[in-house]
Amino acid sequence: MPDSRPGPFILGYTPTPQGEAALGLAITEAKAHKAALVVVNVSPAESYVDTNLAQANHLEALGNILQASGLEHEIIQHIGQDPATDILDIATAREAGRIVLGLRHRSAVGKLLLGSTAQNILLNADCPVLTIRT
């Protein structure tokens, strides 16, 4: 009998309130759908200091939370080109069942001038995208 589990859920994680909310949602959803969880924390290469890149203490705490959840999981952290592109590439390569993201409020001008990782993922993902706003 073929495995009926969905592809892994991909969590675009940042060590922020939005990232923590998305982590909770991703764990709940992955458990409900019996899916593995791949946590992706990525920073653009041109950024010398990126507060969205998880430090060792964040990664350790994240690992402990995932271990306690009982989910099959993996944490991927790297410096890439563009967080949205990297998350989408991982989701495609893993045949993701879903992408989970935390959102923060941004003004229309802020989105226009700076772009939006979440917007890029929402518009270009090949799988459903689940978002949570804090």
Side-chain angles (χ1 to χ4, degrees), residues 68-113:
S69 76
L71 286 171
E72 179 183 335
H73 65 275
E74 178 181 358
I75 300 172
I76 299 172
Q77 182 185 52
H78 71 268
I79 306 298
Q81 296 301 313
D82 169 62
T85 300
D86 291 339
I87 290 168
L88 289 167
D89 287 349
I90 290 168
T92 299
R94 304 283 179 106
E95 297 180 354
R98 178 167 308 177
I99 297 172
V100 182
L101 302 171
L103 300 179
R104 65 183 170 98
H105 176 74
R106 294 188 55 185
S107 69
V109 173
K111 287 182 215 172
L112 178 66
L113 294 177

Side-chain angles (χ1 to χ4, degrees), residues 10-82:
I10 308 298
L11 168 62
Y13 177 78
T14 58
T16 62
Q18 296 83 10
E20 297 304 320
L23 173 62
L25 179 61
I27 289 171
T28 299
E29 288 292 310
K31 281 183 175 182
H33 294 276
K34 296 179 175 55
L37 183 58
V38 178
V39 179
V40 180
N41 178 241
V42 63
S43 176
E46 71 274 359
S47 179
Y48 293 107
V49 176
D50 185 356
T51 57
N52 289 326
L53 191 64
Q55 301 301 310
N57 60 326
H58 291 120
L59 293 175
E60 182 179 348
L62 181 60
N64 291 338
I65 291 167
L66 292 169
Q67 189 69 36
S69 76
L71 286 171
E72 179 183 335
H73 65 275
E74 178 181 358
I75 300 172
I76 299 172
Q77 182 185 52
H78 71 268
I79 306 298
Q81 296 301 313
D82 169 62

